[in-house]
Amino acid sequence: MNQPVDLCINNVRIMTMANTDKPLEVLANGALGIKNGKITFVGSQTDFAEEACKVIDGQGKWLLPGFIDCHTHLVYGGSRAAEFEKRLEGISYAEIAKQGGGIKSTVKATRETSEEMLFEQALKRVRRLAEEGVTTVEIKSGYGLDMDTEVKMLKVAKRLSAATPINVQSTYLGVHALPNEFLERADAYIDFVCSEVMPEIAEQDLANCVDVFCESIGFTPAQCQRVFESAKSLGLNIKAHVEQLSDLKGALLASQMGALSVDHVEYLAEQDIPTIAQTDTVAVLLPGAFYYLNETQKPPVDALRRHKVPMAVATDLNPGSSPVASLLTAMNMASVLFGLTPAEVLMGTTRYAAKALGMQNKGTIATGKDADLCLWDIEHPIELVYGINHHRPDKVWLGGKDVS
Ligand code: DI6
Ligand code: FE
């Protein structure tokens, strides 16, 4: 005889995000079976034949995959409110970075902040995201740039995972800015990252992905390529900040080397998109940074869409270019500022966000997937993209466990 499932959620409208051709397809009068944290049944209520230890009546509400914020820098010390004021006076983000502010000022603050304090501050940010139905968040290091602080940041990310009802995926972003100790010696810094820091992080299992900032105010494609090669030799995945402020062809490089995602891509050239479309790389759009930096160059959404490059949407939550602790707000911005359809935005924060993290077990509602789910009392999921700050999930399950 079959073992009963642990939980059945019935009487729900399910948006599975499993059909890429019809993202907004709805399973009316749906039911879901969960066993050992995995989805074992998804279908119509009338077809649900198994016995369940516990049954929840969804009262006709909407069941969606938990949201995934696939690009954040939410562990950091200090604040950049004063820099925000400077930018309002007309000094650009790049100019502030050149004057030693920007990322570098957060590096100084993060080095000076204890692990405990970093944890307490980041915990609040994670909770803000979780309140909106985010069940998985990616967290990057990159505000330490020395061995101890990068390790400290990644340890905080790991602790956040244990302390909150949210999955955390950690990414090592050592190649984010050049630390003062290596001024005028960028290649020596790349040597240090490749031969010392990355092996240590892999050894301690502190991250499973490596990111870089490929940019005129960051690192060259040749330097990023060396980082990617080392990361791959250690069995780590790769992704990259590319074409945020200028076109260095970083997206071409990263996608050719098997990157999970290329992020920002405002300055991505249309002619490069067919080549990227041949790979498995996701384009992660970050409208919060576009909004805060008052950018005018939009990512080539039409061409990405035409060539079927999967697009994800994330907050880029960080103290400088995107102090946005709200994925739902970033989702609205992706539509209003970049012209993504609600369907694209919903796919971009579930299925394709999971793909951008290499987490094929998440992001859709289908048998065998992790039961990370949200129940929403709304007329239609499009409402989650349409308004700002109207909705919170009624219930959230993480690996089948009610964490709401
Ligand atoms: N691009 C970003 O949007 C973040 N890092 C990066 O390379 C911003 C980081 C910051 O301004 O602190
Ligand atoms: Fe970023």
Side-chain angles (χ1 to χ4, degrees), residues 71 73 140 241 264 286 316 318:
H71 181 140
H73 311 243
K140 301 174 196 297
H241 286 70
H264 284 289
L286 303 165
D316 197 12
N318 75 67

Side-chain angles (χ1 to χ4, degrees), residues 122-282:
L123 187 60
K124 290 189 195 158
R125 299 171 196 136
V126 172
R127 289 200 172 129
R128 290 287 92 82
L129 296 175
E131 283 164 10
E132 293 188 339
V134 171
T135 49
T136 295
V137 64
E138 186 253 18
I139 300 177
K140 301 174 196 297
S141 67
Y143 289 125
L145 310 179
D146 58 17
M147 175 77 88
D148 289 352
T149 317
E150 289 293 307
V151 166
K152 178 171 74 176
M153 291 182 76
L154 292 169
K155 281 191 173 155
V156 168
K158 218 170 210 178
R159 283 179 59 192
L160 289 168
S161 185
T164 57
I166 207 164
N167 303 294
V168 174
Q169 171 127 319
S170 305
T171 297
Y172 169 58
L173 172 59
V175 178
H176 194 196
L178 193 61
N180 289 340
E181 310 84 87
F182 285 90
L183 224 53
E184 313 278 332
R185 295 190 298 131
D187 286 314
Y189 180 63
I190 301 290
D191 289 341
F192 167 68
V193 162
C194 293
S195 60
E196 295 186 46
V197 190
M198 254 195 288
E200 182 64 26
I201 280 162
E203 166 76 25
Q204 289 196 46
D205 195 22
L206 285 171
N208 52 14
C209 194
V210 171
D211 196 346
V212 298
F213 187 30
C214 184
E215 191 51 67
S216 44
I217 59 166
F219 294 84
T220 66
Q223 288 163 343
C224 294
Q225 184 170 350
R226 286 185 52 208
V227 175
F228 292 154
E229 279 160 4
S230 291
K232 286 166 68 172
S233 74
L234 291 164
L236 299 167
N237 288 320
I238 58 169
K239 52 173 59 219
H241 286 70
V242 293
E243 276 77 87
Q244 180 184 3
L245 308 167
S246 62
D247 181 14
L248 298 189
K249 305 289 172 206
L252 270 186
L253 168 75
S255 60
Q256 293 307 300
M257 292 188 70
L260 289 174
S261 70
V262 287
D263 301 37
H264 284 289
V265 300
E266 281 88 339
Y267 285 81
L268 174 61
E270 284 211 25
Q271 72 262 23
D272 296 337
I273 293 176
T275 314
I276 295 166
Q278 303 294 312
T279 69
D280 223 19
T281 304
V282 176

Side-chain angles (χ1 to χ4, degrees), residues 5 7-8 34 54 57 86 112 215 248 283 285 312 372 379:
V5 296
L7 175 68
C8 168
I34 299 169
K54 189 172 176 194
D57 178 0
K86 267 194 185 171
E112 287 165 359
E215 191 51 67
L248 298 189
L285 308 183
D372 296 351
E379 284 299 312

Side-chain angles (χ1 to χ4, degrees), residues 43-89:
S44 151
Q45 236 166 265
T46 46
D47 297 335
F48 187 80
E50 288 176 69
E51 218 182 293
C53 295
K54 189 172 176 194
V55 179
I56 288 183
D57 178 0
Q59 301 172 331
K61 296 175 187 173
W62 287 85
L63 194 67
L64 268 69
F67 285 127
I68 297 174
D69 192 350
C70 67
H71 181 140
T72 83
H73 311 243
L74 65 75
V75 175
Y76 59 82
S79 159
R80 303 250 289 277
E83 182 183 302
F84 174 66
E85 269 191 306
K86 267 194 185 171
R87 280 199 277 114
L88 290 169
E89 287 161 11

Side-chain angles (χ1 to χ4, degrees), residues 17 62-70 124-138 164-167 313 315 325-329 331 345-346 348-351 353 362-365 370-378 384 389-399 401-404:
M17 314 312 295
W62 287 85
L63 194 67
L64 268 69
F67 285 127
I68 297 174
D69 192 350
C70 67
K124 290 189 195 158
R125 299 171 196 136
V126 172
R127 289 200 172 129
R128 290 287 92 82
L129 296 175
E131 283 164 10
E132 293 188 339
V134 171
T135 49
T136 295
V137 64
E138 186 253 18
T164 57
I166 207 164
N167 303 294
V313 173
T315 59
S326 166
L327 185 61
L328 289 175
T329 305
M331 289 162 69
V345 171
L346 291 165
T349 45
T350 54
R351 184 189 184 104
K362 297 192 186 292
T364 61
I365 297 181
D370 292 350
D372 296 351
L373 307 157
C374 291
L375 188 71
W376 298 89
D377 187 8
I378 47 180
L384 298 177
N389 203 21
H390 288 267
H391 303 292
R392 296 290 181 272
D394 267 21
K395 270 188 184 303
V396 180
W397 292 269
L398 193 78
K401 249 181 61 189
D402 186 344
V403 292
S404 37

